Amino acid sequence: MINRMNSIKISKAGRLFILLILLQLTSSNLYAQNLLIPIETIHNALVLQVENNKDLNIVYFGKKLASSTEYNKIAAMYKQTGDYTGQLNSAYTPAGSRNLVEPAVAVTHADGNNSLDLRYLSHTNNKLNENVSLLSIRLKDPVYNFEVTLFYKSYFKEDVIEQWTEIKHTEKGSVVLQKFASANLHLKAGSFYLNQYHGDWAKEMQPEESKLSHGIKTLDSKLGTRANLFQPSVFMISMDKPATEDEGSVLYGAMEWSGNFKIDLELDYQDNLRIIAGMNNYASPYTLKPNEIFSTPAFLYTFSTSGKGDASRKLQSWARNYKLLDGKGTRLTLLNNWEATYFDFNEQKLAELLKDTKKLGVDFFLLDDGWFGNKYPRNDDHAGLGDWQENKKKLPNGISSLVKEAQNVGTKFGIWIEPEMVNPKSELYEKHPDWVIKQPKRDEYYFRNQLVLDLSNPKVQDFVYGIVDGLFTKNPTLAYIKWDCNAVIYNAYSSHLKNQSHFYIEYVKGLYKVLEKIRAKYPKVPMMLCSGGGGRVDYAALQYFTEFWPSDNTDPLERVFMQWEYSYFYPAISSSNHVTDWGKQPIKFRTDVAMMGKLGFDIVVSKLGENDLKFCQEAIKTYDAVKPIIWQGDQYRLSDPKENSVASIAYINEAKSAGIIFNYLVNYRYGAKSTQPIRLKGLDPNKKYTIKEINLYPGTNSSLDGAKGYSGDFLMKIGFNPDVNSGRSSVILKIEESK
Ligand code: GLA
């Protein structure tokens, strides 16, 4: 029978037909196996694909398609050189098997083997609410009991994705994680332009743009804490051409991690860009026990095809809605004594400053550094850090009496601490040398005469928590905390940890544990994230802080530039801007610049001339009236100080019925002024508006006619001239719909 079947002759045409059927079967099979997992937000899509062999690759990142059935046609449109590994576009590139490029994850298994392969197991997509979805994808090594779960939390309206991973295993012994990225992206474009930042004390957020060439460009930090001092983890990648404010495709990336980070931007041999971002694995191979879960922090990104301005508005609104502590709430204006007194004050002086706070009209007084330490008084920055008891000479009646005194004069009281730090000249250092980060066999090396406490140690965590808790317990009406962090970590070593390779990671996790505990008990008390100037802000920290200190450099001219750059990533409500005596600009210019975020003062009020004082008092009232627009409005950068003599930035409310426009002269050469009208953005073309100058210095009149009406159409096509010149170097405009 079988023989007879075998002997049946099939015609040539029949054979062709069967071949076609077979081919079709395999290709539909292929299609069925090539599962697509699109992560879509309102405008964009990140499309993952499960290959036949269960590799998980990225097949698309960009503007989303009208029909998701077409994502599987994209790959065929690219005729780039071959991929020798099948995983150049891996969604999470494992090291040591087929991979030939920078990995996202590298491990040494319990048996000493260094190879890893990760294949798709399953995925689940949970809609957390109307706007937020969480996709998780399980990957597993086919040979080892080693698993990675990739998480993608997407925010639909804001076009934002937060991505992180969890790593675990059930091998017969510990596994060492050599590299552990949070995310691995793969972008296709003709060329890529990186906009990155660098800096130092008083020079934070200096932008630099360059075309990426083949190979790896790394943005990283190895400072341990205040990790962003030389280089923050925020960056932009423009695709095909450098994006401008309103044009071009641009991705913003940022690590939500307050310690060492590493972001590799690899332009591979196929001309695609691989982005691998996570905690820095520098000096940090991590030993993971069976069944233990290693979670990476999130890498955050947004993408726009309408330029940098659109991307920043998405990020700002995401931050206010979902990340920044009390992002939709309010903030307090303040008078700080740092530059007014430095370490030189006593109860009497502070009592005067409390009165000045009231006179000025801000919400509270902030007592800065220098209030503590007795055996080693904090009279300069060489001693006292760690000894958080009131200095008896300066404050014989303690902080409590100051808090009460503030109440008596009708203001509030806030205080500065730097709880993660210790001066070698301190009782804390004498009592607990084992709480200090330092190498046992090496000389100590200092940053601002101080060392960092070992937050990987739970006892130190309790101590740091106790500083804050103690202050609030003794002074329940304490209104505010400025949390400083002035040193980096040298000689990284913890006498608490058995495995020193865990130090950098455990330090930051310890810090978060403390902050978590503080926020559990004091959910909304405003706290400023400060770090000897900037150098510490990121979105993991901002879950616990209401605001950050961008820089000790408060020269308003410098600030126009610096705040401009910060604003791409952080909303105005989070930016603490103080009026100080830095710079040569008049008080109006200094105040106007500080009003672009969260306003504060650090000046000697009693030394202000009559008109200067009057101006400041009025400015605070003006600010109080318009701050909801600045804090919650959409921000539009109108004229770039790097390119023009006049900088201009606008905040427009959601209803497009009101806005505030800040304008500054940034070029002091002869004749520099606003020669051209400045085009507005974000208005309703069909609405009618009036534009009035506000925050005028006493005795001056505006050169602008505030009664004239303009259509939104006119203001966005032609613009408006704020009449900025050397006699009017700072001009604030209020735009309002006229009905
Ligand atoms: C840092 C801060 C300043 C001030 C000093 C106090 O430099 O950035 O604002 O608080 O510490 O020592």
Side-chain angles (χ1 to χ4, degrees):
M1 175 78 174
I2 290 166
N3 278 346
R4 222 184 315 146
M5 281 284 285
N6 275 349
S7 67
I8 291 172
K9 287 249 156 76
I10 302 172
S11 69
K12 218 176 176 182
R15 281 206 299 269
L16 199 67
F17 177 72
I18 289 171
L19 194 72
L20 275 175
I21 296 267
L22 273 174
L23 262 177
Q24 242 192 345
L25 270 177
T26 26
S27 70
S28 65
N29 215 7
L30 254 183
Y31 177 66
Q33 280 177 14
N34 280 355
L35 172 70
L36 287 179
I37 312 175
I39 303 157
E40 291 187 327
T41 53
I42 188 164
H43 298 107
N44 306 326
L46 169 64
V47 185
L48 308 172
Q49 175 168 295
V50 181
E51 311 290 353
N52 289 340
N53 65 354
K54 303 287 182 193
D55 275 356
L56 181 72
N57 288 338
I58 296 174
V59 289
Y60 181 64
F61 181 84
K63 223 176 178 167
K64 82 174 169 195
L65 299 183
S67 163
S68 57
T69 58
E70 291 203 293
Y71 288 126
N72 65 351
K73 298 176 188 163
I74 296 175
M77 291 295 128
Y78 287 86
K79 306 291 176 201
Q80 294 169 294
T81 58
D83 172 354
Y84 302 102
T85 64
Q87 58 177 186
L88 259 181
N89 55 337
S90 171
Y92 199 65
T93 316
S97 48
R98 283 164 292 150
N99 174 49
L100 299 172
V101 289
E102 186 61 29
V105 56
V107 306
T108 303
H109 293 285
D111 65 3
N113 189 289
N114 282 325
S115 73
L116 183 65
D117 196 358
L118 291 171
R119 306 294 173 107
Y120 169 87
L121 266 190
S122 63
H123 74 280
T124 51
N125 204 351
N126 287 325
K127 215 168 163 77
L128 304 181
N129 60 40
E130 266 311 290
N131 195 47
V132 188
S133 301
L134 180 63
L135 167 72
S136 59
I137 307 178
R138 279 177 70 198
L139 308 173
K140 194 188 165 303
D141 190 306
V143 176
Y144 287 91
N145 286 327
F146 186 96
E147 264 195 41
V148 170
T149 306
L150 306 180
F151 292 90
Y152 299 83
K153 192 170 185 183
S154 53
Y155 300 80
F156 190 79
K157 267 193 268 160
E158 294 82 7
D159 282 319
V160 163
I161 297 180
E162 285 178 291
Q163 194 185 330
W164 69 96
T165 68
E166 279 181 9
I167 303 174
K168 67 172 183 199
H169 69 91
T170 51
E171 296 187 19
K172 290 198 186 79
S174 291
V175 165
V176 179
L177 308 179
Q178 311 287 358
K179 192 170 184 195
F180 27 75
S182 302
N184 182 167
L185 289 178
H186 184 263
L187 312 184
K188 285 178 183 286
S191 52
F192 299 92
Y193 296 82
L194 167 68
N195 188 67
Q196 63 179 102
Y197 294 88
H198 66 97
D200 196 345
W201 178 78
K203 284 187 69 176
E204 291 85 351
M205 285 302 269
Q206 308 291 318
E208 215 172 6
E209 188 157 50
S210 56
K211 187 174 178 186
L212 286 172
S213 58
H214 289 84
I216 301 179
K217 165 83 186 180
T218 300
L219 306 177
D220 82 335
S221 169
K222 303 183 186 77
L223 306 186
T225 189
R226 75 177 297 189
N228 293 346
L229 180 62
F230 304 142
Q231 183 157 72
S233 72
V234 295
F235 65 95
M236 303 176 192
I237 297 286
S238 297
M239 287 151 86
D240 294 317
K241 60 178 185 206
T244 61
E245 203 55 36
D246 300 304
E247 279 175 1
S249 296
V250 62
L251 171 131
Y252 281 30
M255 275 306 300
E256 294 182 31
W257 182 242
S258 312
N260 293 349
F261 62 85
K262 184 166 193 257
I263 298 160
D264 288 316
L265 304 153
E266 179 172 26
L267 188 62
D268 69 19
Y269 68 87
Q270 284 190 322
D271 308 326
N272 300 318
L273 185 67
R274 307 177 64 252
I275 302 178
I276 294 173
M279 292 184 282
N280 202 336
N281 57 345
Y282 161 74
S284 298
Y286 201 95
T287 302
L288 190 68
K289 293 190 205 109
N291 288 313
E292 206 183 324
I293 294 177
F294 181 88
S295 305
T296 72
F299 175 63
L300 165 74
Y301 47 99
T302 186
F303 176 73
S304 171
T305 52
S306 311
K308 292 176 178 176
D310 182 52
S312 79
R313 284 184 288 281
K314 288 173 179 182
L315 203 54
Q316 292 189 6
S317 103
W318 169 82
R320 283 187 302 245
N321 285 326
Y322 297 104
K323 213 54 170 195
L324 169 69
L325 187 80
D326 206 15
K328 303 295 269 185
T330 186
R331 297 293 186 274
L332 302 173
T333 53
L334 63 88
L335 176 67
N336 187 195
N337 71 313
W338 175 239
E339 292 190 17
T341 66
Y342 292 104
F343 298 95
D344 181 21
F345 56 81
N346 56 27
E347 226 166 51
Q348 226 175 344
K349 245 192 203 176
L350 295 181
E352 290 305 312
L353 292 179
L354 284 173
K355 283 187 209 140
D356 287 347
T357 308
K358 182 69 187 164
K359 186 155 116 194
L360 191 60
V362 287
D363 296 321
F364 78 98
F365 172 74
L366 171 61
L367 175 60
D368 214 284
D369 197 354
W371 58 268
F372 49 88
N374 284 298
K375 183 171 174 190
Y376 300 101
R378 181 77 172 165
N379 291 331
D380 57 41
D381 63 12
H382 286 81
L385 274 182
D387 300 345
W388 300 101
Q389 299 80 33
E390 294 96 333
N391 177 278
K392 295 224 167 74
K393 250 195 201 156
K394 289 184 195 170
L395 307 175
N397 298 302
I399 295 295
S400 308
S401 86
L402 292 170
V403 177
K404 269 185 219 127
E405 184 55 24
Q407 248 161 346
N408 290 344
V409 299
T411 187
K412 293 188 177 103
F413 191 87
I415 200 159
W416 178 98
I417 51 173
E418 196 181 358
E420 295 155 84
M421 300 289 159
V422 61
N423 281 126
K425 274 195 194 160
S426 68
E427 291 183 73
L428 181 72
Y429 184 94
E430 285 173 353
K431 268 192 231 152
H432 298 289
D434 55 320
W435 285 10
V436 178
I437 298 167
K438 55 184 178 135
Q439 287 288 346
K441 295 182 194 152
R442 296 187 193 280
D443 290 344
E444 291 175 4
Y445 194 78
Y446 307 121
F447 198 108
R448 207 193 187 203
N449 317 302
Q450 65 196 56
L451 291 166
V452 185
L453 291 175
D454 177 12
L455 270 175
S456 73
N457 183 341
K459 284 189 191 143
V460 178
Q461 293 167 18
D462 288 347
F463 169 76
V464 172
Y465 171 77
I467 299 166
V468 177
D469 191 39
L471 281 167
F472 282 125
T473 313
K474 277 192 228 146
N475 309 289
T477 57
L478 191 68
Y480 185 94
I481 282 198
K482 174 175 174 183
W483 180 305
D484 213 338
C485 171
N486 279 301
V488 299
I489 294 176
Y490 295 118
N491 285 317
Y493 180 90
S494 156
S495 52
H496 163 74
L497 288 177
K498 283 202 188 82
N499 187 342
Q500 294 304 315
S501 302
H502 289 196
F503 170 74
Y504 283 122
I505 294 175
E506 294 305 327
Y507 179 89
V508 182
K509 288 194 174 164
L511 171 68
Y512 292 159
K513 267 191 205 155
V514 174
L515 292 167
E516 201 64 54
K517 208 167 151 190
I518 292 173
R519 282 316 182 186
K521 190 159 174 193
Y522 309 101
K524 276 200 177 169
V525 184
M527 292 211 300
M528 184 211 283
L529 174 64
C530 176
S531 188
R536 202 182 207 191
V537 60
D538 68 82
Y539 275 115
L542 283 183
Q543 297 177 83
Y544 308 105
F545 291 88
T546 47
E547 53 218 73
F548 70 95
W549 185 236
S551 177
D552 275 351
N553 188 341
T554 45
D555 176 329
L557 194 55
E558 292 291 326
R559 275 296 182 115
V560 170
F561 290 80
M562 211 182 271
Q563 289 171 196
W564 181 279
E565 299 303 329
Y566 270 117
S567 80
Y568 283 114
F569 302 94
Y570 302 101
I573 189 170
S574 66
S575 177
S576 291
N577 303 335
H578 293 182
V579 178
T580 72
D581 285 331
W582 281 55
K584 298 189 192 84
Q585 316 300 327
I587 192 88
K588 171 167 162 58
F589 193 110
R590 286 183 270 151
T591 310
D592 287 0
V593 172
M595 281 168 75
M596 292 162 77
K598 209 225 77 175
L599 175 67
F601 289 81
D602 194 347
I603 47 170
V604 186
V605 177
S606 59
K607 283 194 186 150
L608 289 176
E610 198 188 326
N611 275 342
D612 278 7
L613 176 63
K614 203 165 151 205
F615 168 75
C616 291
Q617 290 166 328
E618 285 307 311
I620 292 160
K621 287 184 199 145
T622 306
Y623 180 73
D624 281 340
V626 301
K627 65 193 182 188
I629 303 176
I630 299 168
W631 292 349
Q632 301 297 337
D634 276 326
Q635 187 191 49
Y636 292 88
R637 292 173 207 81
L638 308 178
S639 176
D640 189 339
K642 300 191 292 297
E643 289 160 15
N644 306 293
S645 296
V646 174
S648 182
I649 213 161
Y651 302 79
I652 310 289
N653 72 355
E654 205 185 340
K656 299 180 185 297
S657 58
I660 304 294
I661 311 159
F662 294 91
N663 307 277
Y664 307 101
L665 188 67
V666 293
N667 171 3
Y668 286 84
R669 296 198 59 189
Y670 178 78
K673 58 182 178 180
S674 56
T675 51
Q676 312 271 335
I678 294 171
R679 273 188 209 105
L680 270 70
K681 298 174 192 172
L683 301 177
D684 180 340
N686 301 315
K687 281 189 171 152
K688 287 266 176 290
Y689 296 94
T690 52
I691 298 188
K692 204 174 91 192
E693 184 171 355
I694 58 169
N695 222 33
L696 288 162
Y697 191 78
T700 60
N701 294 317
S702 177
S703 58
L704 308 171
D705 177 0
K708 245 188 206 162
Y710 305 90
S711 66
D713 176 64
F714 178 91
L715 292 170
M716 292 195 289
K717 285 180 182 158
I718 307 298
F720 184 85
N721 197 322
D723 194 18
V724 171
N725 55 53
S726 57
R728 289 167 47 83
S729 57
S730 166
V731 175
I732 305 186
L733 304 173
K734 176 152 196 219
I735 175 163
E736 255 174 324
E737 182 181 359
S738 47
K739 292 205 169 137

